[in-house]
Amino acid sequence: MIGENIQQIRESIAKAAKLSGREAAAVELVAVSKTYGPEEVREAMESGQVLFGESRVQEARAKIPMVSSRARWHFIGHLQRNKIRQALPLFELFHGIDSLEVAKDMERIAGEAGFLPRVLLEVNVAGESSKFGFSPEKLRAEMENLLGLERLQIEGLMTIAPLAADPENSRRYFAQLRNLRDALQSEFRVGLPQLSMGMSGDYMVAIEEGATIVRVGSAIFGSRKKPDPGSGIAGPPEAV
Ligand SMILES: *Cc1c(COP(=O)(O)O)cnc(C)c1O
């Protein structure tokens, strides 16, 4: 089941990439395994999936040692400041850097612990009060400070589109993220190649709008039984 889902999603990714004039290999699939156990991750790995996404540090800390070390992990949720130290050695990319404060803490702790973390800046494009992330204005205002953090490898932007039944509703938010990325690149003379956008319901539209990373959970693993407090999508924040 999981294997078939992954195959089908890979085909859809290739199709959408082609529509945006790119190779399928230009889009990375993060299989979002939050709330699912090591069994499901192993099953996905049998289909050749090696990249997984988690939104809670505690859950990931328990899960990661239980699966093959060939698996690679991205942190996709809101990172609590008191979890940064634990998170640094576990993840190769942090999608949800959503404030200058978190970025500064990460810079300091990465310095102490000897890491050069790769990060994406989360933008709350639609301005939803339920979501984490920089507003586009705030990101512009703080970009200079963010770029001054020498340990952080800022590779691009990430967003979560508002929940909608029709994926076409997400298109303008993805286009806005891409346009913001383009503007920041020329204003600040930096490369921001990565656009992490698109989930189970709207990843094809996201790819058409330029996504380089899509984060797909339920379309691979099935709908989650447990709520996900780590993402800012729903529910209260993770307990300290
Ligand atoms: C849970 C989650 C996803 C995956 O959501 P699905 O709708 O299950 O594909 C993607 N991104 C983030 C940040 C998430 O928290």
Side-chain angles (χ1 to χ4, degrees):
M1 190 54 176
I2 289 175
E4 287 163 27
N5 292 342
I6 289 175
Q7 273 324 110
Q8 193 251 304
I9 289 165
R10 289 202 174 283
E11 282 164 30
S12 302
I13 288 174
K15 216 177 287 174
K18 204 168 172 197
L19 283 174
S20 70
R22 294 179 295 160
E23 302 282 329
V27 182
E28 268 200 299
L29 171 62
V30 177
V32 177
S33 49
K34 66 184 182 190
T35 78
Y36 284 94
E39 271 313 309
E40 284 89 355
V41 173
R42 281 188 215 113
E43 202 177 326
M45 290 187 83
E46 281 166 23
S47 304
Q49 182 68 29
V50 290
L51 181 57
F52 296 91
E54 290 285 332
S55 61
R56 282 178 286 181
V57 175
Q58 269 159 338
E59 182 183 338
R61 270 184 99 198
K63 195 179 301 178
I64 290 173
M66 298 175 77
V67 302
S68 163
S69 58
R70 284 193 307 110
R72 297 156 43 208
W73 300 87
H74 285 191
F75 191 78
I76 62 169
H78 165 68
L79 186 57
Q80 289 185 282
R81 294 164 73 178
N82 62 359
K83 298 278 182 357
I84 294 172
R85 199 175 295 273
Q86 296 175 351
L88 279 172
L90 299 177
F91 299 100
E92 65 175 49
L93 182 66
F94 291 86
H95 291 229
I97 300 303
D98 52 18
S99 73
L100 182 58
E101 289 67 39
V102 170
K104 281 180 169 168
D105 277 8
M106 188 178 248
E107 169 80 3
R108 177 177 53 79
I109 295 166
E112 292 165 8
F115 287 92
L116 294 169
R118 297 169 51 208
V119 305
L120 307 179
L121 303 171
E122 180 171 355
V123 185
N124 186 350
V125 179
E128 292 178 286
S129 58
S130 61
K131 295 234 170 79
F132 293 105
F134 293 90
S135 69
E137 301 72 41
K138 184 130 190 168
L139 183 55
R140 254 203 186 84
E142 296 187 336
M143 197 66 192
E144 207 68 69
N145 286 327
L146 287 160
L147 292 169
L149 302 173
E150 292 184 347
R151 294 212 155 241
L152 299 201
Q153 317 293 307
I154 300 174
E155 298 189 354
L157 306 182
M158 176 269 211
T159 199
I160 303 170
L163 190 62
D166 181 355
E168 280 301 326
N169 289 343
S170 302
R171 188 181 294 278
R172 63 192 169 114
Y173 301 109
F174 297 149
Q176 280 174 37
L177 192 74
R178 187 194 61 232
N179 290 335
L180 176 64
R181 185 278 305 272
D182 293 349
L184 293 173
Q185 285 195 143
S186 55
E187 280 169 44
F188 294 92
R189 301 183 177 282
V190 286
L192 299 168
Q194 302 281 14
L195 287 176
S196 168
M197 54 190 196
M199 316 191 344
S200 290
D202 54 18
Y203 68 91
M204 290 190 67
V205 171
I207 293 168
E208 288 169 31
E209 296 299 328
T212 60
I213 308 178
V214 292
R215 311 174 309 265
V216 179
S218 49
I220 293 175
F221 296 106
S223 60
R224 287 177 291 274
K225 290 156 213 85
K226 290 174 249 170
D228 166 35
S231 64
I233 290 176
E238 184 178 7
V240 178

